[in-house]
Amino acid sequence: MSAYLDTRVSLYASRLWPDAAFDALAQAPDEAIAGTLAARGVPQLVAGYDTPERATEARSLEQRIIGQILEETQVLIRPLSGEARAFLAFWTARFELSNVKTLLRSKMGGERPAAALARLTPMGAFGRLDLQDLAHAEDVGELLRRLEAGPYAAIVHHARRAFEQNPDPFVLDAALDHGYYEGLTQRARPLEEGAGSALRGLMAQLVDRINLVWLLRYRFNYSLPPAQVYYLLIGSRYTLASARLRELAALDSLEAVLDALPAPWHARLAGAPNIPAVFARMEHAAAQQALSVLRSRAPALARAFAYLSLRERDLRAVRAVLRGRHLGLGQADIRLALQRGALEAI
Amino acid sequence: MLRAEPLLRIQLVTLASEAQDAALALAQFGVFSPAPVALDALAEAPAMAYREVWLEAEARLAKLLEQCGDTGPLHVPEDAEAPTLADLEALNLWLKSVWNACLECHETATRVEERRQHLAALEDTLAKLEHLNVDLAPLLRADSLLAVRIGSTAAGNFKRLTEALAMTGYLASRFDTVGDQVFAVIAGPRAREEEVNGLLAQAGWHELPVPDELRTHPQAARAWLDAERAQLATQDGASCRMLDGLRARFGPRLNEARLSLALARPLAEAAAVGVRGRGGLAAFSGWIPRRQLADLRSVLEAHFHGRYWLEAREPSREEIADVPSLVRYPGWLKPFVPLVKSYGIPRYGEFDPALPFAVTYLLLFGAMFGDVGHGAVILLLSAALLRRLGRMAWIGVAAGAVSMGFGVLYGSFFGYEDLIEPLWLSPLQDPIRVLTIAIGFGVGFIVFTLLVSTRNKLVAGQVGEALFDATGLAGLVFYLGAVGSLASLAGAADIATPSGFAAALGLTVIAAYKWIEAKAGLGERILVTAIETLETGINLFANTLSFMRVAAFSLNHVALALAVFTLAAGLGTAGHGLTIALGNVVIIMLEGGIVAIQALRLMYYEGFSRFFSADGKAFVPLRLMPQGSEA
């Protein structure tokens, strides 16, 4: 199992995009886009840029990117079983929860089911919900009850109760996100104990990044009170543990929060002017760590998770470049939009 | 029966206002399989709105029928007309209003249930507070500086909620847990209550309203709880009556809605494949059996009196891969069709293997499991389970009968080889002869599959493959030559020279064809040609030897029976009888099952894989009802 997965991950690792490849994509003439994408191992995206097929490709760029990630995850989980398989499968569940959020917003807006269904991402073998059935729920309440009878009951149950107390879309979205990441950390916990520090390091980067960005956003963009901000964060046992998060939530400016971070974090984030910049720096750090795990002799599961994280980051950057081209942005603007620093494995 | 029915591609253009009736007519015609319209001039999709409304209405009707129960069988009148888009929208709105009424009943029932649970929790609370001897009145005073609340939240969130509350100077104390809910008292400075409200809402905090009655004397509180319960019982009854009322009120109209939606289904389903249009026109495209073109014209003429345009043509070579396969099977062959379809659907124009499959499968099963008694048991069991197993039971009946037939040939009855005289011979008497016959059968079977494969390739226009490839004519020549050479070597025939020549010729042609087809560098080309040519020979040889299992299992059957008799011989009368009976049960269950699987394996891997591409498309006609349901 391990040998197969290790080999698979190593083969897939060659598909990761060096920074120069994004410049090449941004500069390539229109007719060379399909060739460039094919050469860099993203066949699902080629279909949209291959002229004869463009007319028949109904999926959006975002949907095709997710399709590509799901396809690779499907290959990677093939030799896995038990908790490891459940963990990587759950990693894809955030795309399905994104479908759920689309359906919920469509119900709130009184949209027709067909319009909502057209925007959903096909989940393929990872799909656990009957989206047709859910799309035809009459309102948010009925949709949540149907979801509560399905595989995401644990996530939705709490979100429904919160939504009943306060029918605010933010409350619902925040509760779903919170429930999902709590579920992910629960699934990671037994694997972290078995798979050594590599997976724990990756999870720590992920959870700490999400917690810090949520904290800053809820506290300073949405002006929520500290107690509510703290409640919305993921229960963490990594660098930013619960006690530290409580202290940070009580501070009243971005600078104060960044100053109060542990030393390595402070050095990394000092001077970040806004929340997107904080996110970009932390994501860069996470990518460096993932690259280091990918190139190490870490357990196969940790390497697979590292690869999937890096691959998703790359494909998001590809999307940014393609959108930039579509909007007619210049090279410099596209590069700026990427907010992507060069990676050096640590 | 041996190949798919010849089909014609039709394009039907009607008035857009009559598209739903045209689709209905096509569905009632019964053999129209829709396909995407290829007319570039028709850029609009006029039926998509119809489909969207239909899907919504259908979903609402399904939910209503689930709530109100089925309203009986649906009868579709001959002269029924499909609803227009406006009719369908009106019906959809009506279904929405009925469903909302239903939903309200359902919501009421849910609320009543939740209230009941809360009352039960409140009673527990009361019991606990009684024991604590706490006077709730001063605690819950609205003008107190201390804000106190009693309520419940999810157990998994309680720790985090407690920590968050502590940030606002509040304390939380759990006093009970029911299921996944924690019941708690929270208390803190009233000045920061506003801050806490948002947090509690986010945490899904469910306030337990503590009435004045509960804040005074315990007996008064109990009386209040009883009164609340009685009121809940009334509400519950009212919601049930409301639901029953809905059934009585809407039942007949729901049946009409079912009929309307069934009549609308054809256009909605056709729209999913592709109904195109422009201006006042709508176009359908799809496949119908060639021999029913005149019938279709009559149907359309009767409905539209010339207000349509119909074009029919033979499928072009480029679209052959998209043509669905429509094969009509006689009733006796139908039980075997699912076994063939589980491997795949034959392509349009391909030889359909259902008939040879049925014959060969039964022959192989009988040959491997020939026993009059065991066959009779299988036959009788299958007949007894006819109602439960449905059509598939006939396979068991036929297999049992053939097994009995071979039992007569082998002279075997429940493993006894001396009760009846064999019409031919018992396999153990001359195993070599049985093995030779099994291989002979295998040679015949493989020759048959190669002939079918050649024919399929010719029909598909793959002339090169049909003539020169390993599964074509060249493969057949090589195989017959190789068999002749081996037979001559074994002394069974004297055709060594012509056979050797045929085998060499076949192999050379195959190698040359592989060489031409391999698109690679010189080294890789040599490697591919050598390996694939060698593989041809090895595969055919292995496939032929695979049929030795037919003889092996017929020998195995006798040997198993002998083992049972040997075991029984060492026991007393009762033990002897019991061992014989149990042994026969094991033989029927275990060996019978293995033989059934082995026969299927031989058919799939030595037969189908050689000539059956199994990637055809099923002919799915437009219907009034979904597949599997009955009108």
Side-chain angles (χ1 to χ4, degrees):
Chain A
M1 180 274 280
S2 176
Y4 171 83
L5 187 57
D6 260 330
T7 312
R8 249 298 159 209
V9 172
S10 299
L11 286 172
Y12 270 164
S14 64
R15 291 183 170 196
L16 293 175
W17 287 50
D19 290 307
F22 294 103
D23 290 337
L25 183 66
Q27 290 163 8
D30 282 349
E31 57 276 13
I33 292 282
T36 310
L37 292 171
R40 297 240 54 96
V42 274
Q44 296 226 15
L45 270 64
V46 173
Y49 288 85
D50 202 3
T51 313
E53 290 177 41
R54 191 181 293 198
T56 58
E57 180 55 63
R59 292 179 304 161
S60 68
L61 182 58
E62 177 75 25
Q63 288 172 335
R64 279 176 284 133
I65 284 175
I66 294 173
Q68 181 74 46
I69 294 167
L70 293 177
E71 190 182 294
E72 291 176 12
T73 311
Q74 176 74 28
V75 174
L76 292 176
I77 67 166
R78 206 174 284 153
L80 296 174
S81 61
E83 287 166 338
R85 190 185 179 89
F87 171 71
L88 279 193
F90 195 74
W91 179 235
T92 68
R94 68 201 194 287
F95 300 128
E96 194 154 44
L97 279 179
S98 172
N99 280 342
V100 167
K101 286 186 198 168
T102 305
L103 284 174
L104 286 165
R105 273 185 219 116
S106 110
K107 290 294 150 208
M108 287 174 192
E111 200 178 27
R112 297 205 92 140
L117 282 166
R119 291 205 307 279
L120 302 183
T121 301
M123 289 296 295
F126 291 101
R128 298 170 74 195
L129 297 173
D130 182 347
L131 296 173
Q132 278 284 346
D133 181 54
L134 293 172
H136 285 96
E138 215 59 57
D139 53 26
V140 176
E142 188 190 341
L143 176 54
L144 287 171
R145 271 194 302 281
R146 280 172 185 263
L147 285 165
E148 228 176 315
Y152 299 116
I155 296 173
V156 176
H157 176 65
H158 176 64
R160 180 177 71 82
R161 278 188 66 128
F163 187 70
E164 278 173 358
Q165 298 303 311
N166 182 6
D168 176 352
F170 166 75
V171 167
L172 199 50
D173 269 10
L176 289 173
D177 287 338
H178 183 261
Y180 169 74
Y181 281 104
E182 287 285 354
L184 188 72
T185 52
Q186 274 169 23
R187 283 166 178 79
R189 189 176 306 208
L191 297 166
E192 286 171 16
E193 283 157 14
S197 60
L199 184 64
R200 185 179 162 81
L202 294 172
M203 280 302 293
Q205 281 283 0
L206 176 75
V207 172
D208 287 340
R209 180 174 81 238
I210 289 170
N211 268 342
L212 184 59
V213 173
W214 282 2
L215 184 148
L216 296 172
R217 200 179 289 161
Y218 294 154
R219 190 77 185 95
F220 305 119
N221 285 359
Y222 304 161
S223 303
L224 295 181
Q228 190 175 349
V229 169
Y230 170 72
Y231 180 80
L232 284 170
L233 302 181
I234 309 160
S236 172
R237 54 192 189 287
Y238 303 113
T239 314
L240 297 182
S242 296
R244 175 82 69 154
L245 287 173
R246 275 201 298 277
E247 286 166 24
L248 294 175
L251 299 172
D252 53 11
S253 72
L254 171 66
E255 294 72 29
V257 171
L258 297 184
D259 285 342
L261 288 172
W265 286 58
H266 181 251
R268 194 177 294 145
L269 298 175
N274 49 35
I275 300 171
V278 170
F279 180 79
R281 290 188 194 186
M282 293 192 68
E283 199 195 31
H284 184 257
Q288 269 194 327
Q289 172 144 8
L291 190 62
S292 150
V293 170
L294 185 65
R295 288 176 178 171
S296 70
R297 289 178 173 272
L301 176 68
R303 294 185 68 231
F305 187 52
Y307 167 75
L308 287 172
S309 310
L310 289 166
R311 181 67 160 160
E312 195 172 335
R313 179 175 180 263
D314 277 358
L315 293 184
R316 280 208 311 270
V318 171
R319 181 185 58 191
V321 173
L322 293 176
R323 280 203 182 143
R325 288 179 60 101
H326 186 68
L327 295 170
L329 299 181
Q331 304 280 326
D333 292 329
I334 291 176
R335 203 167 292 128
L336 190 69
L338 286 180
Q339 293 202 334
R340 192 182 155 101
L343 291 183
E344 292 164 22
I346 48 177
Chain B
M1 186 167 62
L2 289 174
R3 73 184 182 99
E5 199 165 323
L7 300 182
L8 292 176
R9 175 79 183 234
I10 64 157
Q11 306 272 3
L12 170 66
V13 181
T14 67
L15 295 172
S17 58
E18 291 181 331
Q20 67 278 3
D21 292 318
L24 179 59
L26 289 169
Q28 285 169 330
F29 177 60
V31 276
F32 168 75
S33 179
V37 178
L39 296 173
D40 293 336
L42 304 176
E44 296 161 15
M48 279 320 283
Y50 194 89
R51 176 174 168 80
E52 277 182 28
V53 179
W54 179 82
L55 279 172
E56 285 181 28
E58 181 77 358
R60 287 184 172 128
L61 180 71
K63 289 188 284 192
L64 279 165
L65 291 178
E66 200 179 306
Q67 287 285 320
C68 301
D70 201 346
T71 44
L74 188 62
H75 299 289
V76 181
E78 285 282 315
D79 57 348
E81 287 187 2
T84 62
L85 178 59
D87 294 339
L88 205 56
E89 279 173 339
L91 177 64
N92 187 29
L93 281 178
W94 178 77
L95 287 168
K96 183 178 180 176
S97 65
V98 177
W99 174 241
N100 280 336
C102 249
L103 206 57
E104 211 169 297
C105 299
H106 189 66
E107 289 283 335
T108 308
T110 310
R111 277 197 293 272
V112 166
E113 182 52 36
E114 283 181 0
R115 180 85 182 127
R116 183 177 288 126
Q117 286 173 6
H118 285 146
L119 283 178
L122 209 56
E123 188 163 4
D124 286 350
T125 311
L126 180 64
K128 286 183 173 65
L129 292 175
E130 277 173 348
H131 288 302
L132 289 171
N133 201 18
V134 173
D135 185 359
L136 282 175
L139 267 182
L140 299 173
R141 267 175 52 189
D143 57 349
S144 158
L145 287 174
L146 188 71
V148 178
R149 303 164 86 149
I150 298 178
S152 65
T153 189
N157 300 330
F158 186 67
K159 182 171 175 284
R160 194 154 193 82
L161 178 63
T162 309
E163 289 170 355
L165 282 168
M167 293 171 74
T168 56
Y170 269 65
L171 287 172
S173 173
R174 169 201 310 237
F175 60 84
D176 201 6
T177 304
V178 179
D180 65 344
Q181 293 295 302
V182 162
F183 287 82
V185 180
I186 60 172
R190 192 169 295 280
R192 299 187 75 174
E193 198 170 16
E194 194 66 26
E195 217 175 306
V196 166
N197 283 343
L199 167 61
L200 291 181
Q202 189 72 58
W205 171 262
H206 204 131
E207 198 86 23
L208 275 179
V210 185
D212 291 343
E213 290 84 344
L214 205 68
R215 302 180 191 194
T216 56
H217 197 276
Q219 279 183 349
R222 293 219 172 275
W224 177 84
L225 280 172
D226 290 344
E228 281 290 298
R229 274 214 193 82
Q231 193 190 344
L232 269 184
T234 324
Q235 282 180 9
D236 198 16
S239 75
C240 291
R241 279 197 299 280
M242 211 188 300
L243 209 58
D244 290 342
L246 280 175
R247 280 187 195 124
R249 202 168 125 208
F250 298 121
R253 181 115 190 247
L254 278 179
N255 212 25
E256 286 173 29
R258 282 175 68 204
L259 178 59
S260 289
L261 290 181
L263 294 169
R265 176 184 291 277
L267 181 56
E269 297 287 9
V273 181
V275 176
R276 311 301 297 176
R278 191 164 189 178
L281 294 178
F284 296 83
S285 187
W287 303 97
I288 62 161
R290 186 196 288 158
R291 64 189 173 83
Q292 284 179 274
L293 179 61
D295 298 343
L296 178 64
R297 282 193 196 282
S298 309
V299 167
L300 293 173
E301 199 53 44
H303 276 84
F304 302 107
H305 311 291
R307 297 191 307 280
Y308 68 93
W309 176 77
L310 179 69
E311 181 206 50
R313 60 171 175 77
E314 294 287 335
S316 64
R317 190 166 287 283
E318 293 76 41
E319 64 187 358
I320 281 289
D322 296 323
V323 185
S325 292
L326 170 63
V327 187
R328 297 178 201 267
Y329 301 102
W332 59 267
L333 192 56
K334 281 182 180 168
F336 294 92
V337 174
L339 290 177
V340 175
K341 295 256 170 91
S342 73
Y343 188 86
I345 295 169
R347 276 188 200 168
Y348 178 72
E350 256 188 11
F351 177 84
D352 187 278
L355 177 63
F357 169 84
V359 174
T360 317
Y361 181 79
L362 290 175
L363 273 177
L364 289 173
F365 183 86
M368 290 191 271
F369 200 69
D371 189 296
V372 177
H374 294 155
V377 171
I378 291 173
L379 189 148
L380 292 173
L381 264 178
S382 303
L385 294 172
L386 196 58
R387 194 165 288 177
R388 184 174 290 184
L389 296 178
R391 205 181 265 167
M392 292 297 281
W394 286 110
I395 298 178
V397 171
V402 177
S403 174
M404 288 173 72
F406 271 89
V408 172
L409 290 175
Y410 296 159
S412 179
F413 184 80
F414 283 116
Y416 291 99
E417 302 287 310
D418 46 6
L419 290 182
I420 51 176
E421 190 64 29
L423 209 60
W424 180 47
L425 88 167
S426 169
L428 268 190
Q429 285 173 6
D430 193 351
I432 298 300
R433 195 169 162 198
V434 177
L435 280 167
T436 312
I437 288 170
I439 289 178
F441 179 86
V443 169
F445 185 78
I446 288 170
V447 167
F448 169 75
T449 61
L450 287 170
L451 282 169
V452 173
S453 170
T454 306
R455 181 245 172 226
N456 282 349
K457 285 180 171 41
L458 282 173
V459 168
Q462 299 160 341
V463 181
E465 276 186 57
L467 296 179
F468 310 125
D469 204 2
T471 50
L473 202 59
L476 181 62
V477 170
F478 162 71
Y479 183 61
L480 288 174
V483 168
S485 300
L486 287 171
S488 303
L489 207 65
D494 188 17
I495 47 171
T497 311
S499 301
F501 177 74
L505 177 69
L507 206 62
T508 310
V509 171
I510 292 167
Y513 184 73
K514 300 274 186 206
W515 176 265
I516 293 164
E517 286 294 298
K519 304 278 186 275
L522 183 67
E524 193 179 337
R525 218 169 170 188
I526 292 170
L527 202 67
V528 167
T529 304
I531 289 176
E532 289 196 2
T533 309
L534 186 68
E535 192 193 11
T536 302
I538 292 173
N539 273 354
L540 286 169
F541 182 67
N543 292 158
T544 309
L545 289 188
S546 201
F547 280 85
M548 285 174 74
R549 78 187 65 213
V550 180
F553 273 100
S554 65
L555 292 168
N556 180 49
H557 184 75
V558 184
L560 257 180
L562 278 177
V564 170
F565 293 141
T566 309
L567 276 175
L571 300 169
T573 315
H576 181 89
L578 194 66
T579 307
I580 296 288
L582 281 177
N584 275 289
V585 170
V586 169
I587 288 173
I588 291 169
M589 302 288 287
L590 192 68
E591 204 206 334
I594 292 171
V595 163
I597 291 166
Q598 286 296 334
L600 202 60
R601 188 214 162 277
L602 279 171
M603 298 307 302
Y604 281 178
Y605 298 109
E606 319 307 341
F608 287 2
S609 62
R610 201 175 301 285
F611 68 89
F612 187 19
S613 45
D615 57 356
K617 294 190 169 157
F619 186 93
V620 184
L622 268 193
R623 288 194 188 283
L624 289 177
M625 300 289 157
Q627 292 279 343
S629 64
E630 290 171 15

